[in-house]
Amino acid sequence: MSETTEATSLFAPLWRRKWLILAVAIVAALATYLYYKRQTPVYQSTTQIYLGAGAEEQAPGEKGNAKALALNPTDQVAIINSIVIEGVRQQLRKEEDVAAATGKAHAKAVGEKSQFITIFAEAHRAKAAALLANSIATAYIRRQHLYYQRAVLSAISVARRQLRRIEAASASALSTKPGSKGASPTSPSTASVLQSANLASKINQLEAELSVSGAQHVKPAKPAGAQLLSPKPRKNAIFGFVVGLLLASVAAYGLSRLDRRLRSLAAIETVLGFPILSALPSVRRPIVSRDGRPSPSGPLLEPLRRLHANLELLESPKRTAGANGSRMAPRVILFTSADPGDGKSTLIADLALVQSDAGARVAVVEANLRRPVQAALLNAAGPYGLAEVLTGTLPAENAMQRVPVAGAGVDAQPAQDAAGVATEVEPPSAGSLSLLAGGTAAANPPALLAGEAMKDLLSSLAEDRDYVLVDAPSPLGV
């Protein structure tokens, strides 16, 4: 049971403000959508470079050349990010392509052992993003091809120098004259011939490899394949809706914790320490006219009857003996409310009508001398009232006004028995309703109400009636 109560106390503030929370979430989603809808779009294009051609087509020769031709993906990524991209941007600025020149780009190796490098380019237009990515790949391949050619040409130059030295040595051996003293003609050695042949073959192979491009551009970027990175108004609007819903819920829960107003009957009973006898709904016309007589509105009948029944069940401090045994003593009930206009006077008039319909003898005393309204509510038009009674100008019996209620106008009808003797039939039991209106304006209403005359008046009225309902002024109003 405690868990249910805790859950109810947690979600009740949210459910009470559900439409406000939903409205805040919708406004947040709409604002997020409009904000991102106006943002400049950002497109991303990608392309790849294959390093395998440069690594596999190395020029045979010295170890230094082979090492120089080897392509390390990590080193090449660093070269692209630090050198190539900036050079491409400068070239694009010279070509006055601002959209591509102001874009962002970076390179990333696909893997540690992979020979592929991926280039990512971002720009405000799809065409500019694709152009930036392809320009970086082309500039890197051009740079790498020149580097590759320089390495091959260096290797060819070294091989040719070696070949020239061998050929020079062979020519010097063949140029020795046969008749010279201490010298004899010799033919080139087999080793020299083999070295010359190998060097010539190497030079031919290196010259053939000048046409190898080294790194290759694969999967060129296309404007149609550019991906929209931002904005994404729909996704952003959904995210804004969720965030607005959460923030509005937290705010509603926080406000409910700070709000000290009583919003439930159970909370009112807990604070006051007294049970609530009845709760009345709000209606537009609390009192209506039926057959020229005032009557409570339909939605108020059952709550008012429940209130009357609860008043009947309340224990009285004393009992008076009657013909049918003991009965509860008359009750004097004071009605008040914090502010004027809360509906106190209307409640008194409706309750008095319901009690009189139930057979009770009821008297309504209007103690609100500044704003008397009971005469208008109960359709009474007497010019005098409580002010004249308390000042001694008029007796209470003359100031009381009788309010017509259902069953009050039934008179005793004569009837004849079988012997022809006329007898009087007792009318059915019916209640009565009397009103002691406020009367004329009083100079000092609090002094009149606090005097002994008011106490004596209430005591005398309670002797002959079941209920005396006192319409007191609102404390905050005076």
Side-chain angles (χ1 to χ4, degrees), residues 85 88-89 92-93 95-105 121-125 127-133 135-136:
I85 293 178
V88 170
R89 284 178 176 169
L92 291 174
R93 290 191 187 99
E95 297 176 359
E96 298 182 355
D97 196 333
V98 180
T102 57
K104 299 179 181 179
E122 298 178 6
H124 295 305
R125 292 186 300 173
K127 184 178 179 181
L131 175 61
L132 180 59
S135 299
I136 293 172

Side-chain angles (χ1 to χ4, degrees), residues 79-366:
I79 292 173
I80 294 174
N81 290 331
S82 59
I83 300 176
V84 178
I85 293 178
E86 186 60 31
V88 170
R89 284 178 176 169
Q90 293 179 1
Q91 182 62 32
L92 291 174
R93 290 191 187 99
K94 293 179 181 179
E95 297 176 359
E96 298 182 355
D97 196 333
V98 180
T102 57
K104 299 179 181 179
H106 69 279
K108 183 178 180 181
V110 177
E112 294 181 358
K113 297 182 180 180
S114 176
Q115 294 296 317
F116 287 92
I117 296 177
T118 304
I119 298 176
F120 301 89
E122 298 178 6
H124 295 305
R125 292 186 300 173
K127 184 178 179 181
L131 175 61
L132 180 59
N134 292 331
S135 299
I136 293 172
T138 303
Y140 170 75
I141 291 173
R142 186 186 306 113
R143 181 183 184 278
Q144 194 61 33
H145 181 63
L146 294 175
Y147 175 79
Y148 183 81
Q149 282 186 337
R150 285 197 299 268
V152 173
L153 291 175
S154 177
I156 292 174
S157 177
V158 172
R160 285 178 177 174
R161 285 198 302 268
Q162 293 177 353
L163 182 59
R164 284 196 298 268
R165 284 198 300 267
I166 294 174
E167 289 177 350
S170 299
S172 176
L174 289 175
S175 64
T176 304
K177 295 182 180 180
S180 300
K181 183 180 179 178
S184 62
T186 60
S187 60
S189 63
T190 305
S192 299
V193 174
L194 291 177
Q195 287 180 357
S196 300
N198 289 336
L199 289 173
S201 176
K202 180 180 178 179
I203 291 171
N204 292 332
Q205 184 179 354
L206 289 173
E207 290 177 348
E209 289 179 357
L210 286 174
S211 61
V212 177
S213 60
Q216 295 181 359
H217 186 192
V218 295
K219 297 182 180 179
K222 297 180 180 180
Q227 180 184 1
L228 178 64
L229 294 182
S230 64
K232 297 180 179 179
R234 292 184 180 180
K235 292 184 178 181
N236 295 332
I238 295 175
F239 180 75
F241 178 83
V242 174
V243 172
L245 193 67
L246 293 177
L247 293 180
S249 300
V250 172
Y253 183 76
L255 291 175
S256 67
R257 287 298 183 183
L258 298 176
D259 188 3
R260 302 183 63 86
R261 289 178 293 179
L262 303 177
R263 296 184 177 274
S264 64
L265 299 180
I268 297 175
E269 288 181 337
T270 303
V271 172
L272 298 181
F274 293 97
I276 294 178
L277 302 181
S278 182
L280 280 70
S282 176
V283 295
R284 180 175 297 180
R285 296 180 59 190
I287 298 179
V288 296
S289 178
R290 291 190 177 95
D291 298 332
R293 298 175 179 178
S295 178
S297 178
L300 297 178
L301 284 176
E302 289 303 322
L304 289 170
R305 289 168 181 169
R306 185 162 53 249
L307 175 59
H308 172 59
N310 289 330
L311 292 175
E312 287 286 332
L313 296 176
L314 289 178
E315 294 183 358
S316 178
K318 64 178 182 176
R319 292 179 180 273
T320 57
N324 299 327
S326 63
R327 67 178 180 85
M328 299 181 65
R331 296 186 181 91
V332 178
I333 305 176
L334 179 71
F335 290 81
T336 187
S337 63
D339 289 309
D342 290 338
K344 161 183 56 70
S345 301
T346 306
L347 171 62
I348 295 173
D350 281 334
L351 179 61
L353 292 172
V354 170
Q355 288 176 333
S356 62
D357 288 343
R361 296 167 299 172
V362 185
V364 176
V365 178
E366 186 168 34

